[in-house]
Amino acid sequence: MKRIVIFASGSGSNAENIISFFREKPDVAVAAVLTNKSSAKVLERCDRLGIPAFYFNKPAFKNSDAVVNFLKGLNTDLIVLAGFLWKIPSHLIDAFPNKIINIHPALLPKYGGKGMYGDKVHQAVKDNKETETGITIHYVNENYDEGAIIFQAKTDVIPSDDANSIAQKVHQLEYEHFPQVIEKLLS
Ligand code: GRF
C-alpha cells in the first residue's frame, strides 16, 4: 500500500478529487491532509470525507523537523501539493527526494514564480492574449515552480474567456489528470 499526504492551503477541490479517486483503488491511500491555514475550506472537506487533517504554523514548518517527522511517521511515499502556497524548505525537500510534486495552473515555465497563483495566473494569461493555457505537474525544488516537469496538458483560451472561465477550464484539466499522474508515479 502506497501512502500519499496532500498539502493544501485553500478550497481543496483537487484534494477532494484525489481522495475520491484513490478511495476506489486498493493500492494507494491518502493518509492525511496537511494545511498551513486553520480556516481553509479543505478542512471541512476532510471532515466530511473522514480524512485526518492537520494544521502546522510557519515556525514548525520552516524551522523545525516537526513536519518531516510527522510525514515519516505516516510512512509517506508521495507528498502532493494541491494549492499549497508556502515555499517548501530545503530540509523537507532533502528528506523526500523526488517525492514532492506540485500542480501549477498554467503551462510552466510561463506564468510561474513567487506571487503567481490562483486568479493572478489566469488574469495574466488573459492580459497577454494567450490562445492556450493548461496545467503543469512538476517535482518540487527550492525555487517556486522550477522543478522538473512531469506532465502538462493544454486547453484553448478564446477571446471571450475571462479569468474565471479560464480557471474553470484549468480546473477541469486538473481533475482529469492529477490523480492519474499520481497513480502512475506510484506504480
Ligand atoms: C489549483 O488551480 C492548483 O493548480 C493551484 O491551486 C489551485 C487549487 O485549487 N496550485 P483547489 O484548492 O484544489 O480548489
Side-chain angles (χ1 to χ4, degrees):
M1 168 74 82
K2 296 285 174 70
R3 293 162 65 82
I4 302 170
V5 174
I6 300 173
F7 283 26
S9 305
S11 158
S13 68
N14 276 284
E16 177 160 2
N17 183 53
I18 293 164
I19 291 163
S20 303
F21 180 89
F22 286 110
R23 283 244 154 104
E24 313 297 322
K25 310 275 173 175
D27 300 333
V28 180
V30 176
V33 171
L34 269 59
T35 187
N36 63 312
K37 215 171 157 199
S38 56
S39 60
K41 191 173 163 204
V42 69
L43 292 173
E44 290 166 31
R45 294 184 195 264
C46 290
D47 235 18
R48 173 164 47 78
L49 297 163
I51 294 288
F54 302 90
Y55 162 81
F56 52 75
N57 62 19
K58 210 162 216 172
F61 187 55
K62 279 186 74 177
N63 308 324
S64 85
D65 284 332
V67 174
V68 169
N69 292 339
F70 188 77
L71 292 164
K72 295 270 183 201
L74 287 172
N75 295 320
T76 306
D77 293 294
L78 189 69
I79 299 164
V80 173
L81 312 186
F84 183 73
L85 297 183
W86 285 354
K87 197 187 252 190
I88 304 298
S90 51
H91 71 275
L92 181 47
I93 294 172
D94 293 344
F96 291 92
N98 282 331
K99 289 187 173 173
I100 311 177
I101 65 170
N102 179 47
I103 189 162
H104 186 77
L107 295 170
L108 292 174
K110 284 183 157 183
Y111 306 108
K114 191 170 166 55
M116 285 304 268
Y117 59 87
D119 284 346
K120 293 182 188 179
V121 174
H122 307 308
Q123 191 59 53
V125 165
K126 169 78 186 162
D127 292 345
N128 287 333
K129 300 187 171 47
E130 296 284 357
T131 55
E132 60 180 21
T133 186
I135 60 169
T136 303
I137 298 168
H138 64 94
Y139 288 108
V140 170
N141 68 14
E142 277 135 42
N143 301 318
Y144 278 111
D145 302 324
E146 285 185 13
I149 292 174
I150 300 165
F151 175 88
Q152 291 187 305
K154 291 178 182 175
T155 183
D156 288 342
V157 178
I158 55 174
S160 59
D161 275 324
D162 58 12
N164 243 331
S165 63
I166 295 171
Q168 278 175 26
K169 289 178 175 181
V170 167
H171 262 119
Q172 283 317 311
L173 287 180
E174 294 179 337
Y175 302 149
E176 189 184 336
H177 295 288
F178 203 12
Q180 295 185 10
V181 171
I182 294 168
E183 188 177 35
K184 265 199 202 135
L185 283 175
L186 288 172
S187 66

